[in-house]
Amino acid sequence: MKTEVKEWMLVFLIFIFFAGSANAQTAMINVQARKTTSLNGKWTVIIDPIGVGEGKQVWQEKKPQKKTDFVEYSFEGGPELQVPGDFNSQLCELTYFEGTVWYKKQFNYSVKADKRLFLHFGAVYYLADVYLNGEKLGSHEGGFTPFQFEITGKVKDGSNTIVVKVDNKRLGNGLPGTGYDWFNYGGITRDVDLIETNETFVEDYFIQLKKGSLNTVSGWVKLNGNKLKQDIVVKIPEQNLEYRTKTDKEGWAKLEFNSAFKLWSPENPKLYKVMVESETDTLADDIGFRSVEVLGNKVLLNNKEIFLKAVNIHEENPSKAARAYTAEDAGKLLNAAKELGCNLVRLVHYPHSENMVKQAERMGIMVWDELPVYQHIQFSDSLVPQKLETMLNEMIRRDKNHCGVAIWCLSNETYPGTPNRNEALIELTQKCRALDSTRLIVHVINTHGYNNNTFKVWDPLYNYSELIAINEYVGWYKPWQGKPSETKWNVAFPDKPVFISEFGGEALFGSTGGPIDEAAYWTEAYQEKIYKDQTEMFGIVPNLCGVCPWLLFDYRSLSRMNQVYQNGYNRKGLISENGEKKKAWYIMNEYYKRK
């Protein structure tokens, strides 16, 4: 019996080891600066609504061998989908589809003896199983962060085939979970690239100002390969700066140097060309330098108080009713935020594409990066803590050198009574601070009380959040209980800055019917009144450091089922999906002009 137990445990441990080894690798950074071959374009697909493709081993692409053979699947003759892009907006039969779609792409490659090759995905929503030439490379869970597989030694001279199983079904222990207020776009939604490197290459680096400093860079460089001890040079030509160091036997080199930088700010979004050179690799990046921190109840940018004039944005191209991913999509959304008067965009409720982050930085707009930890998360599930850590690592790894990113948001509208919620998010906060302490770390809460025209603001997570970030919808979900100018605030953390991270109400553009004081008619006038009352209240909010209306554009959400006024859209946008500004837009624009 003991021998049988030992043998069973050995089999179990071997299974765990190989299951873990099939996970995707964390992606290298700064993909755009590397030697890449794009695999974007048309991919052939098989739609698999009942999930039988796994049993049929679709990735093998079997062919009949004798007269009595037949195969019950085929990519040949099937539809094609554009990559990147969500599948829901490309085929009418997939509009509301939640399930499996198999993607196939062929490419040619010439194997080089002294080169390594990686298959890099910007994002796949939500589960991805990836196969090369019939062999499974591994899996990735999480729909908004990059991952990769090394295919050196697996890729063939000549023609190769990639098959990706994509599954956007909601998971109870997923991030997000089963309930969320945005459209469940599935597919290969960001770029797919082959990345060719030398045998040893610069895998990662962190080059930002030290916390609290305006002139000292503190960071590191990490090599990957078989020659890990190398000389490293970091150059900033515009500053006539060359910093030299050496990596250790693990491939790590610490950096610390000083320079009189022109600091990045919304008024002057200065970026420097930075070169990272090893003996075997060179990368160029555009990096800015700035300091963001909280001092008492103030938010400071470059040691000067700043009021955060923000807006919430979902990653959706409103005119196309599709997942946004291109630089053009980013420009459409960010130009609208800039016109509103914003110096910060809250990219909700998940990490948006790197196109959004980079373009915001170039435009002088600060970025709020957020994990998809939204409401109904099963924190007590044994798999969730690792998923939280993985998504945190992937978000920070990609965006940590973008100085425009000012805030890491780790959760939104989670509930204090949820089992293991506090423990899981406190631990996640500690891990985030260990990875990057140069930015603000925030949890967004909506469990405040509002009675007798008084807000009672509390939550144990505020102990671990540098802003008191509050989602409140007084005037919409809760009626006003007195004059906005006479609202009282009982904040359990009176020495921290307060940020109103969501507020607003719904209106259908052009809706004018019904009394101005009734919400039932979804009028622009009713929404306008909400904004007038809210901006009046903002004048008396203690320690107010910024506000962030919900939200910029109307966006798709299947939970919005009023077929007269919503028709599958959350109508809280300041702008309709057709680009029409609602009356509330002008209230917010004038408020930002005064700040």
Side-chain angles (χ1 to χ4, degrees), residues 29-302:
I29 67 167
N30 194 7
V31 172
Q32 299 81 4
R34 302 176 188 271
K35 184 178 179 181
T36 61
T37 301
S38 176
L39 297 182
N40 293 347
K42 295 291 186 181
W43 291 49
T44 55
V45 300
I46 296 173
I47 301 168
D48 186 8
I50 59 173
V52 298
E54 194 80 31
K56 295 179 184 294
Q57 297 182 319
V58 165
W59 62 90
Q60 295 285 357
E61 291 197 273
K62 297 174 184 176
K63 304 295 182 185
Q65 300 298 311
K66 52 185 184 291
K67 290 181 180 181
T68 56
D69 287 349
F70 59 89
V71 179
E72 288 191 296
Y73 66 85
S74 173
F75 283 101
E76 186 178 347
E80 293 183 325
L81 291 177
Q82 186 69 32
V83 171
D86 65 87
F87 55 63
N88 306 87
S89 64
Q90 296 190 58
L91 292 175
C92 60
E93 60 265 40
L94 295 178
T95 299
Y96 303 111
F97 185 75
E98 297 190 354
T100 296
V101 175
W102 296 85
Y103 285 72
K104 174 189 169 183
K105 183 75 169 182
Q106 289 182 299
F107 68 93
N108 290 314
Y109 185 71
S110 177
V111 174
K112 303 173 184 66
D114 59 345
K115 297 294 182 182
R116 297 169 66 184
L117 192 66
F118 296 83
L119 176 60
H120 180 278
F121 293 86
V124 175
Y125 194 87
Y126 170 74
L127 293 170
D129 293 335
V130 182
Y131 301 83
L132 175 68
N133 299 328
E135 176 187 350
K136 186 172 184 178
L137 298 175
S139 304
H140 181 264
E141 177 175 347
F144 304 104
T145 45
F147 61 96
Q148 69 186 34
F149 300 95
E150 182 166 6
I151 57 175
T152 310
K154 300 177 184 293
V155 68
K156 301 183 301 185
D157 257 325
S159 180
N160 293 265
T161 301
I162 299 169
V163 172
V164 183
K165 177 189 176 186
V166 179
D167 189 347
N168 73 329
K169 284 195 299 291
R170 301 163 193 252
L171 299 178
N173 65 356
L175 300 176
T178 55
Y180 44 88
D181 180 25
W182 63 87
F183 199 87
N184 188 28
Y185 291 111
I188 304 176
T189 55
R190 296 181 190 157
D191 295 328
V192 184
D193 290 288
L194 296 173
I195 305 175
E196 190 176 272
T197 73
N198 293 328
E199 290 181 332
T200 302
F201 63 94
V202 176
E203 177 185 354
D204 197 4
Y205 50 85
F206 183 46
I207 303 174
Q208 288 283 277
L209 287 178
K210 191 175 184 177
K211 183 78 169 179
S213 176
L214 299 183
N215 57 16
T216 300
V217 168
S218 180
W220 44 265
V221 173
K222 175 68 171 67
L223 300 184
N224 181 312
N226 55 13
K227 185 184 177 184
L228 294 178
K229 295 186 72 172
Q230 294 193 27
D231 292 326
I232 301 293
V233 183
V234 176
K235 297 179 180 177
I236 307 179
E238 190 175 339
Q239 297 295 94
N240 294 317
L241 187 150
E242 286 193 13
Y243 176 82
R244 297 180 178 275
T245 185
K246 293 178 181 291
T247 52
D248 62 18
K249 63 181 181 179
E250 304 297 328
W252 289 91
K254 292 183 179 179
L255 309 176
E256 186 156 324
F257 54 83
N258 298 308
S259 190
F261 296 109
K262 294 177 183 176
L263 299 176
W264 184 97
S265 70
E267 298 76 26
N268 179 35
K270 173 65 179 174
L271 300 176
Y272 289 92
K273 183 69 68 179
V274 178
M275 310 294 295
V276 180
E277 299 178 358
S278 72
E279 298 167 27
T280 55
D281 195 17
T282 297
L283 284 181
D285 205 347
D286 294 323
I287 294 178
F289 301 97
R290 58 91 192 96
S291 170
V292 59
E293 55 189 332
V294 165
L295 184 63
N297 56 24
K298 309 294 183 187
V299 175
L300 303 183
L301 180 68
N302 302 329

Side-chain angles (χ1 to χ4, degrees), residues 256-411:
E256 186 156 324
F257 54 83
N258 298 308
S259 190
F261 296 109
K262 294 177 183 176
L263 299 176
W264 184 97
S265 70
E267 298 76 26
N268 179 35
K270 173 65 179 174
L271 300 176
Y272 289 92
K273 183 69 68 179
V274 178
M275 310 294 295
V276 180
E277 299 178 358
S278 72
E279 298 167 27
T280 55
D281 195 17
T282 297
L283 284 181
D285 205 347
D286 294 323
I287 294 178
F289 301 97
R290 58 91 192 96
S291 170
V292 59
E293 55 189 332
V294 165
L295 184 63
N297 56 24
K298 309 294 183 187
V299 175
L300 303 183
L301 180 68
N302 302 329
N303 286 353
K304 297 178 182 177
E305 183 181 355
I306 186 169
F307 188 82
L308 302 175
K309 298 182 285 188
V311 72
N312 288 286
I313 298 178
H314 262 299
E315 192 180 44
E316 182 173 284
N317 183 317
S319 58
K320 295 180 181 178
R323 175 70 72 202
Y325 60 88
T326 67
E328 291 73 22
D329 292 337
K332 181 182 184 72
L333 296 168
L334 293 169
N335 283 325
K338 193 82 169 179
E339 185 182 6
L340 182 63
C342 297
N343 59 19
L344 172 75
V345 287
R346 181 185 176 208
L347 303 183
V348 292
H349 282 298
Y350 38 78
H352 290 211
S353 75
E354 197 170 5
N355 284 324
M356 277 288 283
V357 175
K358 293 176 75 171
Q359 193 150 329
E361 185 175 64
R362 290 193 294 267
M363 293 172 64
I365 303 174
M366 292 178 285
V367 168
W368 168 308
D369 249 350
E370 186 162 309
L371 290 178
V373 182
Y374 175 91
Q375 292 189 2
H376 309 284
I377 302 299
Q378 295 182 1
F379 293 105
S380 58
D381 186 285
S382 61
L383 299 178
V384 165
Q386 183 57 57
K387 294 181 184 184
L388 288 168
E389 185 173 359
T390 296
M391 292 190 192
L392 175 71
N393 289 339
E394 291 174 348
M395 177 179 73
I396 291 179
R397 184 176 174 111
R398 191 195 73 177
D399 289 347
K400 63 184 176 297
N401 289 303
H402 296 307
C403 72
V405 176
I407 294 170
W408 302 126
C409 180
L410 307 188
S411 68

